[in-house]
Amino acid sequence: MDDVSEQFKPVKKRFYLILLLTLVCFSSGFILQYFDIEFLNPFYGALIGVLVFNIGIWLYYRCPKCNSIPFASGSEGVEIRPKLCHKCGAKFRSK
């Protein structure tokens, strides 16, 4: 079980990088508009942010054991800090 938690650590780091890139894309259009640089519509930054998030999650945020995306149990969306995989039961945290 500890082996899966060690394998999930780089996956978690990639997920946080995807979140950071998504935030940068979302805020880029608004920041540029605030400084009167209007070559980019804020909608396009938000659209790119949504695409980065969805494609990044689909490609990189997977359980090392069963290769499924850790969705939140009982609700919609991706779980940010999952304790275990709801499909195979692998523990992602050693504590």
Side-chain angles (χ1 to χ4, degrees):
M1 291 289 185
D2 193 52
D3 185 39
V4 175
S5 66
E6 288 298 319
Q7 291 176 355
F8 192 69
K9 285 182 181 179
V11 173
K12 194 169 35 174
K13 287 180 184 178
R14 279 185 251 141
F15 175 69
Y16 292 140
L17 180 64
I18 291 167
L19 282 177
L20 180 66
L21 287 173
T22 301
L23 180 65
V24 167
C25 289
F26 264 100
S27 61
S28 65
F30 296 109
I31 291 171
L32 290 174
Q33 227 180 22
Y34 178 77
F35 291 111
D36 292 330
I37 304 171
E38 297 183 4
F39 70 89
L40 179 69
N41 189 340
F43 171 75
Y44 295 127
L47 179 66
I48 292 169
V50 168
L51 290 175
V52 164
F53 183 77
N54 286 322
I55 293 171
I57 294 299
W58 185 68
L59 289 175
Y60 298 113
Y61 194 54
R62 300 211 174 245
C63 171
K65 190 173 180 183
C66 68
N67 203 30
S68 66
I69 298 172
F71 287 108
S73 177
S75 63
E76 296 180 10
V78 178
E79 193 165 354
I80 293 177
R81 292 192 64 223
K83 291 182 181 178
L84 57 97
C85 178
H86 295 290
K87 186 172 182 180
C88 69
K91 293 185 179 181
F92 295 143
R93 294 191 226 165
S94 58
K95 296 178 184 177

